Amino acid sequence: MEKILNLISEKVAAAFEAAGYESEYGRVTVSNRPDLCEYQCNGALPAAKRYHKAPIQIAGDVAAKLAGDPAFLEVQAAMPGFLNLRLAPAFLAAWLEEFRGAPRFGVEPDPKAGRVVIDYGGANVAKPLHIGHLRSAIIGESIKRIQRFFGNEALGDVHLGDWGLQMGLVIAELQARQPELCYFDPAFTGEYPAEPPFTISDLEEIYPAASAKSKVDEAFAAKAHDFTYRLQQGEPGPRALWKHIMAVSTADLKKNYDKLGVCFESWLGESDAQPYIPPMLEDMRQQGILVESEGAQVIEVKEEGDTKEVPPCIIMKSDGATLYATTDLATIRQRMETWKPAKILYVVDKRQSLHFEQVFRAARKAGLVEPETVLRHIGFGTMNGKDGKPFKTRSGGVMRLETLITEITDFVRAKVEENQLVSGEDVENVTAKIALAALKYGDLMNAPTKDYVFDLDRFAAFEGNTGPYILYTIVRIKSILARYGAWEDLPIAAPETAEAKDLMLALTRLGDALELAYRDCAPNVICAYIYELAGYANKFYHETRILSEEDKEKQKGYIALIGLTKRVLETCIELLGFEAPEKM
Ligand code: ARG
């Protein structure tokens, strides 16, 4: 479906040509002076230089050619040479009617769409999911949905941190507490028990205790390192315990992600990449790109034109240990072998950007990806407290995600109850939806790279630029539609008021917003768009008697317009990763 802006541009370009000027001057943009016009073309200004005429004269010539065009209500040549345009109501309605019926509202899929792996979540097993992982989950989920909207086959991979020292720490602490467990008996030959010797609450307490202990107790720290090593060598006892830790942790992680409306197609982790390391190292050696530097094996990745220093990518330390980068490279190899993606996107803290720069360069140098494979790091900033420092609990610790969700939910529930928005069984359901919208919109409305301040009062407010305000707008429309009856097939009518027209013009801008959000991996563009759209929807609602309108034909047009607005808003919040309740 042709964009409305392109349609208008074509008309204006043709008018330039008909008036004897080059058509390239006919590019139209959305007006930056909505008080004067809806669209504008400034082409007469540069054309004036070329044709040695006054710009206003050229604008006047073009306006004369556009005079009879039914697409325009008004075409005005304004000093010094602008063309100010207003659309004819019927033209706008006809365009929106096509928009209403088109799949994805006529937004074209990416012609280069393909398979894309999105690496997000990145939770570390055995450590509780904390605030640092929240943004990755929220932003990654939205980016995945946007990728799908544009025709990509998107696959979310949680890429668990399941292979590091934290595993050795937990195992060492378990041994200190329950030395009699069969996992620690080297002579044990039977089957290890199917039931884990701990619960998730135990684990949540064990890891911080072990981590603290390792900082003051050298012997304990050595043991944890030793267990990590033995686990990685595949020794049965530690390996069996590791499996228990994985099972208990992932069940809990899934529960938490589920509450966030975040889901992963793949639950692989760093451990799954390990088998890919030896053949990868072998290839790198054969290619001669592994060089020795201070005892370590590294790949040089600096490039001509670098403005900052990009140090070599360390692949293996002198003691033979591999690193975070090694695992990420092996993961690329694994992904290319199993999924052959056209793109891999990483939604990870922006403080890891140098790491990804090194990994991407090393991956290309080692030929792990095709030259055209897109590797992109979408780095995000920190969520801060009101003091501007990284978000903490009242007691000063790092807040666990579950605690945060509970806190927001309690806060929202109190509001729902106080305002008697719903009653009985609906309270929990509606509360959960509003809480999720508050949390996600509060995050996504900021450009990913920006740090932002977590402010529950602001995020959960029903007015202003918030998730609950967007939901409220949708719910309000839903309630009018429910009272009206069947609305889905009513056609869009020509607008008769300024409020109706403004709302319709805002609807036409959906495609641009989605395309920009897709191109830049920037869900914040969608937030800005729906905030604007919701504003026009509410203005229209305030200024128009919808249900009490006596002219039934007129009423149909109003209903069709808010029905379409609801569908657009719902499509957008679905891309952001939350949904509206029936009532609130
Ligand atoms: N587990 C890592 C962390 O907590 C994030 C993993 C990000 N993804 C990746 N492929 N490195 O920092």
Side-chain angles (χ1 to χ4, degrees):
M1 172 175 182
E2 183 90 75
K3 284 187 184 167
I4 200 158
L5 199 57
N6 293 348
L7 285 176
I8 309 168
S9 274
E10 280 161 22
K11 286 175 182 292
V12 175
F16 265 89
E17 204 169 305
Y21 307 107
E22 281 288 336
S23 62
E24 67 185 76
Y25 294 111
R27 211 172 54 84
V28 174
T29 56
V30 173
S31 161
N32 50 23
R33 286 287 306 270
D35 52 323
L36 293 179
C37 59
E38 294 156 2
Y39 296 90
Q40 66 187 60
C41 170
N42 302 345
L45 302 173
K49 293 201 183 80
R50 159 128 174 229
Y51 296 103
H52 307 291
K53 280 192 187 170
I56 190 69
Q57 190 190 342
I58 297 177
D61 294 346
V62 176
K65 295 289 175 198
L66 286 170
D69 194 315
F72 301 107
L73 176 70
E74 193 179 279
V75 180
Q76 213 180 44
M79 283 307 275
F82 300 124
L83 267 173
N84 291 344
L85 308 165
R86 278 184 211 278
L87 289 188
F91 175 80
L92 179 57
W95 190 88
L96 272 183
E97 179 58 17
E98 201 185 329
F99 170 95
R100 186 178 76 97
R104 295 179 318 279
F105 300 109
V107 179
E108 299 294 337
D110 179 355
K112 288 201 266 175
R115 185 174 287 167
V116 42
V117 173
I118 305 175
D119 181 315
Y120 70 110
N124 296 319
V125 173
K127 301 189 197 176
L129 196 58
H130 67 73
I131 234 63
H133 296 108
L134 175 71
R135 297 208 70 195
S136 177
I138 292 178
I139 300 168
E141 180 69 25
S142 177
I143 288 177
K144 184 172 82 182
R145 294 174 182 213
I146 297 169
Q147 290 284 327
R148 285 196 181 135
F149 187 89
F150 281 88
N152 295 281
E153 184 200 334
L155 187 155
D157 183 3
V158 67
H159 197 70
L160 297 174
D162 61 357
W163 206 235
L165 180 61
Q166 82 262 32
M167 294 298 181
L169 283 165
V170 170
I171 296 173
E173 180 63 16
L174 275 170
Q175 188 193 36
R177 294 179 184 198
Q178 306 178 62
E180 71 291 351
L181 288 178
C182 61
Y183 307 92
F184 302 115
D185 176 2
F188 186 80
T189 52
E191 283 246 339
Y192 289 115
E195 280 301 306
F198 44 74
T199 64
I200 185 68
S201 337
D202 296 335
L203 268 188
E204 284 178 352
E205 182 261 320
I206 289 173
Y207 172 75
S211 164
K213 199 196 260 184
S214 74
K215 288 185 186 114
V216 291
D217 180 341
E218 256 175 56
F220 179 79
K223 234 182 217 146
H225 277 285
D226 184 47
F227 269 123
T228 311
Y229 178 77
R230 284 158 61 192
L231 165 69
Q232 299 187 343
Q233 293 304 304
E235 196 180 300
R239 180 93 196 163
L241 271 177
W242 175 81
K243 283 201 174 134
H244 285 312
I245 300 173
M246 287 296 286
V248 171
S249 284
T250 47
D252 183 63
L253 281 173
K254 279 188 180 149
K255 196 186 75 195
N256 271 304
Y257 283 134
D258 213 45
K259 276 192 204 151
L260 282 175
V262 169
C263 93
F264 297 93
E265 285 63 41
S266 165
W267 278 80
L268 295 177
E270 296 179 1
S271 65
D272 296 288
Q274 302 312 308
Y276 291 83
I277 293 182
M280 178 180 79
L281 292 179
E282 189 46 41
D283 285 356
M284 289 171 170
R285 270 190 206 105
Q286 289 206 345
Q287 293 167 327
I289 55 171
L290 267 193
V291 295
E292 193 164 318
S293 164
E294 296 167 35
Q297 305 282 316
V298 308
I299 297 180
E300 285 293 345
V301 290
K302 59 171 184 279
E303 283 172 9
E304 231 169 273
D306 280 346
T307 48
K308 58 175 190 326
E309 197 199 326
V310 184
C313 185
I314 307 176
I315 304 295
M316 196 190 263
K317 292 201 284 193
S318 50
D319 63 359
T322 54
L323 297 94
Y324 187 45
T326 324
T327 299
D328 262 324
L329 286 165
T331 304
I332 292 179
R333 185 168 166 129
Q334 169 242 316
R335 287 173 177 160
M336 293 308 287
E337 276 181 24
T338 37
W339 298 315
K340 297 190 183 60
K343 299 183 256 189
I344 309 179
L345 312 180
Y346 296 80
V347 186
V348 183
D349 194 312
K350 71 179 175 193
R351 286 170 292 189
Q352 294 190 28
S353 67
L354 180 60
H355 162 76
F356 283 108
E357 187 62 57
Q358 293 171 301
V359 165
F360 295 166
R361 289 181 181 192
R364 296 208 184 276
K365 212 167 164 182
L368 295 179
V369 295
E370 305 292 333
E372 65 276 9
T373 311
V374 175
L375 299 172
R376 180 163 170 185
H377 173 213
I378 298 140
F380 54 80
T382 321
M383 180 170 128
N384 291 326
K386 284 186 189 164
D387 57 1
K389 303 206 180 92
F391 194 73
K392 297 251 169 75
T393 54
R394 269 183 227 107
S395 58
V398 175
M399 167 96 75
R400 292 187 40 220
L401 194 48
E402 206 173 351
T403 321
L404 175 73
I405 298 174
T406 311
E407 204 165 277
I408 299 178
T409 307
D410 291 346
F411 185 86
V412 171
R413 188 187 303 104
K415 280 188 144 187
V416 169
E417 283 171 345
E418 186 190 307
N419 298 308
Q420 300 183 333
L421 297 181
V422 285
S423 59
E425 298 178 340
D426 291 336
V427 172
E428 270 328 291
N429 177 348
V430 169
T431 297
K433 290 198 162 113
I434 300 176
L436 195 62
L439 176 65
K440 287 193 161 184
Y441 190 94
D443 185 303
L444 293 171
M445 65 183 282
N446 307 290
T449 49
K450 262 182 59 187
D451 297 344
Y452 75 97
V453 173
F454 181 83
D455 180 345
L456 193 46
D457 286 312
R458 190 159 58 78
F459 290 2
F462 285 17
E463 275 135 49
N465 193 0
T466 71
Y469 166 73
I470 304 293
L471 295 193
Y472 190 64
T473 307
I474 296 173
V475 169
R476 190 184 234 176
I477 298 178
K478 279 188 183 182
S479 102
I480 304 173
L481 295 176
R483 278 188 281 162
Y484 178 81
W487 58 272
E488 285 83 353
D489 300 325
L490 297 178
I492 297 294
E496 286 175 1
T497 61
E499 290 77 23
K501 197 172 190 193
D502 284 343
L503 176 55
M504 289 169 76
L505 287 168
L507 285 166
T508 67
R509 295 193 282 272
L510 171 71
D512 288 332
L514 294 183
E515 278 167 16
L516 193 58
Y518 174 62
R519 191 197 72 190
D520 293 350
C521 291
N524 55 300
V525 176
I526 300 182
C527 293
Y529 173 71
I530 55 176
Y531 179 55
E532 187 197 5
L533 183 62
Y536 287 119
N538 284 312
K539 241 188 239 144
F540 173 71
Y541 167 89
H542 274 294
E543 300 300 324
T544 316
R545 296 192 329 188
I546 301 176
L547 286 169
S548 57
E549 174 58 56
E550 272 157 22
D551 181 333
K552 292 298 157 200
E553 279 311 304
K554 242 187 199 177
Q555 188 181 43
K556 278 185 192 163
Y558 296 160
I559 293 289
L561 180 55
I562 60 169
L564 178 58
T565 305
K566 175 187 93 99
R567 283 178 51 216
V568 168
L569 286 171
E570 282 177 334
T571 300
C572 289
I573 63 170
E574 157 124 38
L575 292 176
L576 297 175
F578 57 90
E579 58 182 18
E582 284 314 304
K583 292 185 269 182
M584 75 182 252

